[in-house]
């Protein structure tokens, strides 16, 4: 499609007895400048009401009618919500809980990914869909299942896990070593003795916990590949995606991305809270960057909400303009679509109050409908930016498996290590400098970057110490922090000095880690400045590094807390404590300067976020004002406004799109 | 009985080996001016120690001895606590938990209401009791079971639920439509597929949840009818009641009331807390009014505590006078009794510290005993008011099924909708005007009233829109609020404009609902005044209504927030946001004035509550001072003091009873 | 051993593939002045990798090599963590949860103490160990299992419980009476009907709850005796111990102590929190005193942490000197050892961050290693105090069974009775006077003491009323408090006046108990002073006692709140409310004075704790400064400094040991 995709989840299967509504929906979507609908996400019970009895003509009719009105379809496989008859006839498709209880039918995600029966039934319906729709020009993509997630502990999954471990470790001795199972005499004599972690069984063997999570990701990916195969066997050649979720830690998306044609995700910021809109914008901005960096290419905003989100703590209305800001925010970060959940509100069940283009009144004069139509107009106006790419020179490392390891380990701060929060604080400090940022995991290459920010890389895998060393040697700027280089992939402590493999790069070694209680603080001083820190304070010994800041209090007052070390052609900072916003801001500014990265614009106004995308000889600059004051961008001769005020001013809750000719 | 009933739960079955105590109890009850004892509530294990072996002579002996001393009996059926042998021999009588686990014997309420065996065994013991005691002149009433409540999820209950649904819906298609089950592909092919809600199964289908709760009420009522039949088959002709609980939402008492001769309930206010006594008094005052309004007739205060209540968070002592205040408070609201749990404290188990007339010291010189005796004297003094009725002209709608629906739905404020709290705030505002108030559900008629206050009637059933319209057309004053008229009985959103069926009555339509986070506020301004609001703010469009207040902040500043609309011979207010105490007070004052309702007395002192009851040509006025300052009532010539200070003064923790000749 | 034991848990079984490390460990332990290692605590899987296949030679080799280097062994039986094969082959050894669920293998403590198979398998391995090592001169003691705790609800345990009850009560009628089971009709017809308490069954029968807890203690002790028998059958004659835990309430240690040769326990104070170090020091000081008083003889500090404790909320580093203070603190309170968990940190699993002598770097120049070596030097310096005894003249009663009863009962303050907190407050008030204190349960004799402080002795057993009366009659000073003498051993309220059996001793009787909400307070006034109180305020009537303080507020203002009564040759104080620190301090000072107990030193500096031990004609005085200011002790001529500053000064986090010649 040459335009940005604009549409969303549409569930006509709930309204098949209402042809008046089905017809009216097309008119309303069209008037809102939509060009896409995502169909069939929860339609299995209508598509196959009884086993082997397929009803797909209604779907074809709707797809065709939409297409006649300029609306293409992304077609979903229905495996995200299976029909009741499947559970009644084949109870094995239901999940088993960690304590061994078999779940009943219900909820949304509740299917065993291992069950051969479930895989077979999903294969059959998926293939039927592909056979019927693969050649339909209306269908531009496949949406596999829905928000993959969750775990099953049934005997089939347990056995698959054992096979997975056998493949990974080869011998039981290797597994025992990796998991340090001699502790508490938990040694395994044979792979057959392994069981998944359970609150009423093994619950404190970190290696087991981590491998189980890896297995869950691999098994889910394996299930996804069955679905892909069914579609391809049915003739499908369109791009395939799954819709991912915000900061979800049940799966390592990095491992799933390689099997997808395009990344898509569902973004639901908590707008309008007591702390304002900048905070949720920066959180979802980071997640947009994470999603884009998964494949280093544009992604789809598969779901977002045109009004309030009913399953959040509070359903705040979006203030006027905020829908436009949020939509452009995704585009700026690399999205090639704006899609909603949902086009028309349900009348009943658990998401009937989830915002939609068309609410239960059916009106087209609502505030929401009118703003959604304006978003459609905006996307048309800036459509030449579609497909443009992002070329960030700074990367922030956010690693899912490391997140698992930090969350699971015991000590040094069981009341909260704050891994994601710290990443978010660093992200904010970077974005406030007006630059683009990639958010990558530790399997990603470091070559494209001039600056790597590496918070709390506790669990190191994939030769990262070696690769980071090479990065700095070759001239890169590295910012490492406390709690880096402590354990390997299965949470086994490294022997000898730490940060493991990086003591020479940073020019320091770690002595001790002090956990601080909530409310306890220390200070960091140097060069006439004083900052604050809390949570975790490492005692470190410089071995070559220059000390920039020292602790101000406690028995380690005067000892190094922030160091810098020239190594090869580059340099490496080491921040030994969880520091306040002021220090993170100063440190990121300094590191960006060292890395030679310039801002996208001069004097970015407070509250305004900027992103850039490149295509041909144009740089597209996207600005959204999530603050409370009007901002203004100075435009150069080679810059022109594509959308927004021509003088570059951006009132609160407004946007600006600028094209710069390079 | 011509006097007010004064007595309470008495458990001589715990002391059968202590004739000295059984004898002393009679003396102490008599000296406390008591005329009633409630017997047999937990006595099944003594009445039928082994299956089919009935021991009732001890009970007859006690009933007769009490009667000889002027003390009548309300006799309980023992089904509220079944003996252990029943569970051992017939495990089906034990409840099954929502996740399918079978409960063990224990606790108090733990019996399946569906089990045919349990029903049969209960029938047999009940009938035996009736056969022996129906003709005994000492027995003045029957207390069926004890505090009915709880749920069972066993196969018998599941099947009964399916039959119940079949009867309600006729076809599975109708059920699917009502529950909007196509969402998430949860369509039912047959009634046999339905299972009760479960945390490990279906947990987010609102229609299912609501119907399950309705079924529980109906099944409990059905069980109760088995008990009634047993008593009647045994010859019983005395009035029958069940003891209800404060704001209990496990049952819809409105549906059970029609099968009872008289309402009774157990009232345990949390006196002496940091916020003082007015708040609990107003809470239980509302509940007294709710209980009275169930049958629009006097009720019994079946249980209350003469001292501190051991199962509450804190067992505060009742300050001197508070027992008298609380007792008269019930009488004023329509009670024809004051009864305690309990006459004599147990020596062991979980309620041994629950306050009683006679504590473990056995003394009659305790502070509690002496005040209880004074309550007895007071009741004798005012006995001519017994049987007097309440004729309130204002009604507040508190609807149990609506409460279920609001608690269950997702959005617009999952952190708390505050339904009951809002009702309580409105009740307070009404009572502070010194009027009587009925508290009714939406099945109650509106004809007797001049003012209907209708907070958050989210789920509308029983043609309430039509009936409310008729009420206003005929001259009534209606105060409706935000979140009214949104869904039908099974939580299905109405199509088109809302408040459904009432847009012309209120002269407005709802545009959007904004949920505010805890701590966020808006203002309401108009006519020189400014109020505060929070939680939920609706945007509404006046269509005929006059705007009284507008929002002061946010993007909908200046839009209508409180409106009034003349409709037919009446008028209708619409309050679009959760407003502060000041506005609720002003609004209720205005609505009462509009409805032409005058206060019971002029200048009601702060902290004093008033209620009235009518009998013949007398109006009885009851005053209780729950505040901290002395108040005084001006007496007219046609008014005389029955109890309290003759000059009408009421010190804190004191009462006044006045008879007014009409 | 003539020196203090210095060593700790050592797990070479985790490093059998690393002879380099095993060798280095010996060098490092020796250099740290250690003379002991605790071996085999978690080694079962290595000692018996397959059923009946014993591998003990590696252990012998290590024991011998350590011994050659001056390091003796305390050898553990491995029953605290059984190998996986035992659970696979004999599932009965796994515990059953209170709801009937069978646990899976995992965690640490998870074995049924009743299972004959488990007892047999434990017997066999224990006996093998004894046979091999009983005669080895290196082995100086046996460490049975590890931190006994937890409960099992399997059919075997249920049946053993029934037999236990049969033995205790003889007839089911006696049990019914003791448990007051007629309440709620829960009468038992036969012992076979009894089941353990369960959240899905009987959960509010206090007598059942208490007897179940007693049974758990007895059954655990019975299991422990099986282990002792195995060791003795194998020839072991060394002292035997189990390692106990801080304020653990799963077992009544008092009942287990009589079967042990020596008490040992694991002490992990939460140092470095926001409230400083005095509070945790006083908490563990009390526990040291409790452990010493169990057998009135020196005990072992079996586990403590040389650095931060990873399973606590926060892993704070120990400030310099704190390890020395904490170690001497244990010695001062009566320990004959300082032992660590652990000598070398694990590389993996849940305690890899638990502090150790040797951390993962393997260095001996760490701050922790160096301070641990200094502790070793200190212990050598003061070794003549080894074996010295404590002769306290004041005792504080802390009773585990009473703690169970208070925690379980309903009312008068379900939001917190504060039993242990109150004991701790009184302990602090006593220790601040600079005296030694025994912490005893109510089975302990009162004869050795001049002062007994008896907080909240709610549940009285073992003729304590009679024994306390004798204590006062014979000249003792007794301080009793609110909530004393309420129920008997099975939580059955006494009939008649209370405090049961002590009304004549205290010269008062209890009228009522008022529970106060959190935040509510009253005052206590008298003699020109005003104190504060909260939580619980009893109304009491003096009957012979002199009133020292009266309540200042509420309806009982002016009534007695603190009384004193001369009785026989002694006197008895009664404190009717939970009073503030100032009053507890004044009251303890007065009671100590009345009892004629003098302080160990004059003018004990703030923040410094003192303890004494006697041996021959020497009194050893131990001082630890847990405060933030330097303190100084004035030394007399007969006093000399064994360790610390010769002038008696004690900077913060420093210690002083003084020998006084008597």
């Amino acid at each position: 499609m040459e335009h940005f995709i604009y549409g969303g989840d549409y569930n006509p299967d709930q309204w098949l007895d209402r042809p008046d509504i089905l017809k009216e929906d097309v008119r309303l979507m069209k008037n809102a400048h939509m060009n896409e609908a995502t169909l069939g996400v929860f339609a299995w019970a209508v598509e196959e009401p009884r086993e082997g009895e397929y009803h797909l003509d209604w779907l074809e009719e709707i797809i065709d009618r939409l297409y006649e009105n300029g609306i293409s379809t992304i077609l979903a496989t229905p495996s995200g919500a299976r029909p009741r008859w499947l559970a009644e006839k084949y109870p094995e498709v239901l999940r088993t809980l960690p304590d061994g209880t078999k779940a009943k039918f219900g909820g949304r995600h509740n299917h065993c990914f291992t069950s051969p029966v479930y895989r077979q039934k999903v294969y059959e319906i998926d293939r039927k869909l592909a056979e019927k729709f693969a050649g339909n020009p209306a269908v531009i993509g496949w949406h596999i299942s829905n928000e993959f997630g969750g775990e099953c502990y049934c005997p089939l999954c347990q056995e698959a896990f054992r096979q997975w471990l056998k493949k990974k470790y080869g011998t039981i001795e290797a597994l025992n070593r990796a998991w340090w199972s001699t502790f508490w005499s938990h040694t395994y004599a044979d792979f057959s003795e392994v069981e998944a972690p359970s609150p009423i069984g093994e619950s404190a063997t970190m290696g087991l916990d981590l491998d189980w999570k890896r297995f869950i990701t691999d098994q889910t990916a394996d299930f996804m590949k069955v679905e892909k195969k069914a579609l391809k066997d049915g003739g499908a050649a369109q791009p395939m995606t799954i819709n991912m979720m915000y900061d979800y830690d049940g799966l390592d998306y990095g491992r799933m991305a390689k099997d997808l044609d395009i990344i898509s995700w569902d973004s639901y910021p908590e707008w309008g809270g007591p702390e304002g809109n900048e905070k949720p914008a920066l959180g979802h901005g980071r997640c947009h960057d994470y999603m884009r960096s998964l494949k280093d290419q544009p992604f789809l905003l598969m779901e977002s909400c045109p009004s309030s989100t009913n399953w959040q703590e509070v359903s705040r209305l979006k203030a006027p303009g905020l829908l436009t800001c949020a939509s452009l925010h995704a585009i700026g970060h690399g999205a090639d679509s704006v899609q909603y959940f949902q086009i028309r509100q349900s009348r009943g069940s658990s998401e009937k109050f989830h915002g939609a283009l068309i609410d239960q009144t059916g009106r087209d004069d609502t505030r929401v409908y009118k703003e959604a139509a304006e978003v459609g107009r905006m996307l048309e106006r800036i459509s030449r930016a579609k497909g443009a790419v992002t070329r960030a020179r700074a990367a922030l490392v956010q690693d899912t498996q490391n997140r698992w390891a930090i969350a699971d380990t015991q000590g040094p701060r069981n009341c909260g290590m704050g891994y994601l929060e710290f990443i978010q604080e660093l992200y904010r400090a970077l974005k406030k400098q007006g630059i683009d940022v990639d958010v990558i995991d530790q399997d990603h290459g470091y070559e494209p970057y001039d600056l790597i920010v590496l918070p709390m890389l506790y669990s190191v895998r994939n030769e990262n110490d070696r690769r980071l060393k090479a990065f700095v040697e070759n001239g890169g700027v590295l910012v490492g922090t406390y709690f880096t280089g402590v354990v390997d992939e299965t949470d086994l402590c490294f022997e000898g000095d730490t940060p493991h493999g990086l003591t020479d790069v940073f020019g320091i070694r770690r002595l001790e880690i002090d956990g601080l209680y909530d409310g306890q603080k220390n200070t960091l001083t140097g060069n006439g400045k004083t900052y604050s820190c809390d949570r975790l304070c490492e005692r470190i010994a410089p071995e070559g590094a220059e000390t920039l800041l020292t602790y101000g209090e406690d028995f380690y007052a005067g000892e190094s807390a922030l160091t810098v070390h020239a190594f090869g052609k580059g340099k490496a900072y080491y921040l030994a404590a969880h520091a306040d916003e002021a220090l993170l801001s100063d440190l990121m500014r300094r590191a960006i300067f060292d890395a030679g990265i310039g801002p996208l614009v001069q004097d970015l106004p407070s509250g305004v976020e900027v992103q850039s995308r490149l295509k041909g000889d144009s740089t597209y600059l996207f600005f959204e004002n999530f603050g409370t004051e009007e901002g203004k961008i100075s435009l150069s001769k080679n810059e022109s406004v594509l959308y927004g005020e021509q003088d570059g001013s951006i009132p609160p809750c407004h946007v600006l799109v600028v094209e710069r000719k390079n």
Side-chain angles (χ1 to χ4, degrees), chain A residues 77 79 119 122-123 126-127 130 142-145 148 220-242 256-262 295:
Chain A
T77 69
S79 65
R119 290 180 169 215
V122 168
Y123 179 90
D126 284 6
R127 182 162 178 162
W142 295 93
H143 173 293
I144 296 178
S145 201
F148 274 118
T220 305
D222 199 54
F223 180 89
M224 177 182 80
K225 282 182 238 170
V226 170
E227 295 213 54
K228 282 181 63 177
K229 184 171 188 309
L231 294 175
K232 289 190 173 161
D233 290 352
Q238 295 95 333
M240 296 177 190
T241 191
I242 62 171
M256 301 192 76
K258 62 182 193 306
D259 293 309
L260 298 169
D261 300 311
I262 185 166
K295 293 188 84 74

Side-chain angles (χ1 to χ4, degrees), chain A residues 257-439:
Chain A
K258 62 182 193 306
D259 293 309
L260 298 169
D261 300 311
I262 185 166
I263 299 296
S264 73
W265 81 290
D266 304 342
S267 171
Y268 294 104
E270 296 193 342
W271 301 115
E275 296 180 89
N277 290 328
E278 267 199 89
K279 198 174 163 178
L282 281 162
H284 283 254
R286 173 179 52 77
C287 203
H288 285 313
D289 287 342
Y290 175 84
M291 294 294 173
R292 184 192 67 242
S293 305
L294 281 175
K295 293 188 84 74
D296 297 310
Q297 69 182 35
F299 62 93
L300 302 181
L301 176 64
M302 185 60 80
E303 293 182 21
S304 62
C305 186
S307 179
S308 53
T309 307
N310 80 303
W311 43 257
Q312 290 175 346
E313 186 189 355
V314 169
S315 306
R316 277 239 75 174
L317 291 178
K318 275 191 177 63
L322 196 50
L323 177 59
T324 306
C325 284
S327 300
L328 191 75
H329 190 236
I331 298 290
H333 280 281
D336 270 359
S337 79
V338 171
Q339 290 157 280
Y340 300 134
F341 184 91
Q342 50 192 340
I343 302 300
R344 176 179 280 274
Q345 276 185 318
S346 313
R347 281 191 61 203
S349 207
S350 66
E351 296 196 354
K352 65 186 174 299
F353 291 135
H354 192 103
L357 178 73
I358 310 163
D359 67 21
Q360 285 111 359
T361 65
R363 286 171 172 266
D364 63 0
D365 65 353
T366 65
R367 194 179 66 88
V368 170
Y369 183 87
K370 288 186 283 187
E371 184 159 343
E374 179 57 31
V375 170
R377 276 186 289 273
M378 172 182 75
L379 292 176
E380 286 173 359
R381 192 89 66 78
I382 65 171
S383 65
R384 76 179 78 164
K386 200 243 172 180
V389 297
T390 307
R391 289 286 168 260
R393 294 177 56 199
L396 175 64
V397 178
Q398 171 182 332
D399 189 85
T400 299
Q401 294 183 42
N402 183 50
R403 183 179 171 194
W404 294 341
I406 290 177
D408 196 41
T409 207
Q410 284 276 311
R413 215 171 170 278
N414 298 326
C415 65
M417 294 293 291
Y419 177 57
L420 265 200
E421 291 83 343
F422 188 38
I423 289 175
Q424 183 63 31
E425 289 157 8
L426 287 161
Y427 179 80
R428 183 181 192 282
L430 287 165
K431 284 301 293 181
K432 285 284 177 183
Q433 306 299 325
I435 65 170
D436 290 314
V437 178
D438 278 359
V439 178

Side-chain angles (χ1 to χ4, degrees), chain A residues 1 54 84 107 338 382 427 442 449 500 513 602 613 635:
Chain A
M1 205 182 272
Y54 299 98
R84 206 173 288 274
V338 171
I382 65 171
Y427 179 80
Q442 61 175 317
Y449 305 109
H500 179 74
I513 306 175
Q602 298 303 320
R613 295 177 67 171
L635 298 169

Side-chain angles (χ1 to χ4, degrees), chain A residues 42-96:
Chain A
F42 298 129
W44 197 340
V46 179
E47 292 169 352
E48 189 183 1
R50 277 159 297 276
E51 188 174 6
E53 188 179 317
Y54 299 98
H55 292 227
L56 301 176
D57 290 346
W58 64 273
L59 185 56
E60 186 170 37
E61 199 177 310
I62 287 165
I63 289 173
D64 290 348
R65 191 192 314 159
L66 288 166
Y67 195 54
E68 287 157 18
N69 284 276
I71 298 169
S72 297
T73 288
I74 292 179
L75 191 55
T77 69
S79 65
R82 72 177 175 299
R84 206 173 288 274
W85 57 257
L86 241 166
E88 297 273 331
K89 184 158 178 193
Y90 309 106
E92 80 169 47
V93 307
L94 291 164
R95 282 188 190 160
T96 297

Side-chain angles (χ1 to χ4, degrees), chain A residues 232-251:
Chain A
K232 289 190 173 161
D233 290 352
Q238 295 95 333
M240 296 177 190
T241 191
I242 62 171
N243 52 336
M244 299 178 172
M245 294 177 282
Y246 179 71
D247 281 347
Y248 180 66
D249 74 345
L251 294 168

Side-chain angles (χ1 to χ4, degrees), chain A residues 126-144:
Chain A
D126 284 6
R127 182 162 178 162
K128 282 282 175 205
L129 283 165
E131 285 169 356
K132 188 165 186 86
F133 297 110
N136 190 323
V139 176
I140 59 170
W142 295 93
H143 173 293
I144 296 178

Side-chain angles (χ1 to χ4, degrees), chain A residues 90-157:
Chain A
Y90 309 106
E92 80 169 47
V93 307
L94 291 164
R95 282 188 190 160
T96 297
L97 307 182
D99 67 355
T101 309
K102 189 86 183 166
K104 298 165 183 284
F105 181 83
R108 194 175 52 166
H109 288 296
N110 181 1
H111 24 260
C112 170
F113 292 119
T114 305
S115 157
V117 167
Y118 193 56
R119 290 180 169 215
Q120 177 61 25
K121 292 296 153 189
V122 168
Y123 179 90
E124 288 167 10
I125 181 78
D126 284 6
R127 182 162 178 162
K128 282 282 175 205
L129 283 165
E131 285 169 356
K132 188 165 186 86
F133 297 110
N136 190 323
V139 176
I140 59 170
W142 295 93
H143 173 293
I144 296 178
S145 201
N146 186 50
E147 293 183 348
F148 274 118
E151 306 173 341
C152 174
Y153 293 78
C154 75
L156 294 167
C157 287

